[in-house]
Amino acid sequence: DTEVTQTPKHLVMGMTNKKSLKCEQHMGHRAMYWYKQKAKKPPELMFVYSYEKLSINESVPSRFSPECPNSSLLNLHLHALQPEDSALYLCASSGVGGIRVYEQYFGPGTRLTVT
Amino acid sequence: LAKTTQPISMDSYEGQEVNITCSHNNIATNDYITWYQQFPSQGPRFIIQGYKTKVTNEVASLFIPADRKSSTLSLPRVSLSDTAVYYCLVGDMNTGGFKTIFGAGTRLFVKA
């Protein structure tokens, strides 16, 4: 199974709401990633977890809070977002070590709209 | 991290071979080259990866000259369904740093 699943597919939230994005993989990968992608732009790395520990935080605002409850699950908790945070949020997973990190498997993304 | 430069867009016709070149003049000795494909409203999909010379799989070929300052993704006999954005990435193979940075990508449009 080489599938990464993400829920929900679409999310509309107000600036005062709290919501969560979920990501799941069953490929035994021990690295998981969150990316943000705006229209007609490349994906931008936000967070990386390695062995369930936060490895990289690309200076993401604190209104985005990642969580990795176990090796298969990755969450992104959202609170007090701004309209400019509207984007496609992508989750990915990969093996750990050497070039394996560059063979990432992506989910279909969550289309987030902040009103 | 080596910076990559690709053409912004390319057009082709069905059945033609398409070559997309990526420039990475500052590539380091330990860097590998990876290509991804992305369709609208989907996540990127890994296509191919290489270090030097030529790599081929069921989807594409990757040509890397001896100086490794560029690489060319070759898609044989494209079809309409190959219309997508293609990204070239360069990253270290030894430290396995997780910091993957996508370049601007090349929008390929295949016409009938």
Side-chain angles (χ1 to χ4, degrees):
Chain A
D1 181 8
T2 58
E3 188 180 22
V4 175
T5 59
Q6 290 187 244
T7 55
K9 286 189 185 227
H10 302 275
L11 178 62
V12 179
M13 60 185 290
M15 290 189 284
T16 58
N17 291 159
K18 282 186 181 181
K19 296 286 185 183
S20 296
L21 309 184
K22 296 186 184 302
C23 173
E24 189 168 4
Q25 58 90 13
H26 294 288
M27 292 176 278
H29 289 162
R30 301 306 294 274
M32 295 187 76
Y33 310 74
W34 279 116
Y35 290 86
K36 172 183 177 180
Q37 186 173 28
K38 303 281 270 184
K40 298 196 185 302
K41 296 290 187 183
E44 293 178 34
L45 185 65
M46 299 175 71
F47 302 103
V48 182
Y49 274 82
S50 172
Y51 293 101
E52 296 87 70
K53 290 190 181 350
L54 186 63
S55 177
I56 291 179
N57 176 342
E58 287 288 270
S59 302
V60 179
S62 60
R63 57 186 185 269
F64 295 91
S65 176
E67 178 196 20
C68 190
N70 60 54
S71 60
S72 300
L73 293 175
L74 186 66
N75 297 322
L76 185 63
H77 303 297
L78 314 172
H79 173 55
L81 295 193
Q82 303 296 310
E84 59 264 29
D85 296 321
S86 298
L88 181 68
Y89 287 84
L90 294 161
C91 173
S93 70
S94 76
V96 175
I99 62 170
R100 282 173 290 182
V101 302
Y102 301 111
E103 186 173 345
Q104 295 180 17
Y105 290 80
F106 283 79
T110 293
R111 177 73 60 189
L112 174 67
T113 303
V114 181
T115 61
Chain B
L1 291 167
K3 180 177 160 62
T4 60
T5 304
Q6 305 172 234
I8 294 174
S9 64
M10 295 179 69
D11 287 346
S12 181
Y13 288 93
E14 283 190 291
Q16 289 188 332
E17 178 184 73
V18 170
N19 295 310
I20 305 174
T21 296
C22 178
S23 171
H24 27 79
N25 290 320
N26 297 324
I27 191 167
T29 303
N30 294 331
D31 285 346
Y32 254 69
I33 300 153
T34 307
W35 286 80
Y36 281 84
Q37 173 192 57
Q38 186 177 25
F39 298 113
S41 297
Q42 293 187 28
R45 181 177 75 112
F46 172 88
I47 302 175
I48 197 165
Q49 185 176 70
Y51 183 78
K52 62 180 178 181
T53 63
K54 177 183 174 183
V55 180
T56 297
N57 62 22
E58 64 278 5
V59 176
S61 294
L62 179 59
F63 298 92
I64 305 168
D67 67 6
R68 302 197 334 115
K69 293 186 184 299
S70 67
S71 58
T72 299
L73 176 73
S74 181
L75 305 172
R77 300 181 58 79
V78 293
S79 64
L80 297 176
S81 62
D82 292 315
T83 294
V85 179
Y86 292 83
Y87 294 103
C88 163
L89 287 75
V90 173
D92 190 298
M93 71 172 179
N94 276 353
T95 64
F98 297 108
K99 196 161 183 169
T100 44
I101 300 193
F102 283 77
T106 298
R107 293 185 175 276
L108 172 65
F109 185 67
V110 180
K111 296 179 271 193

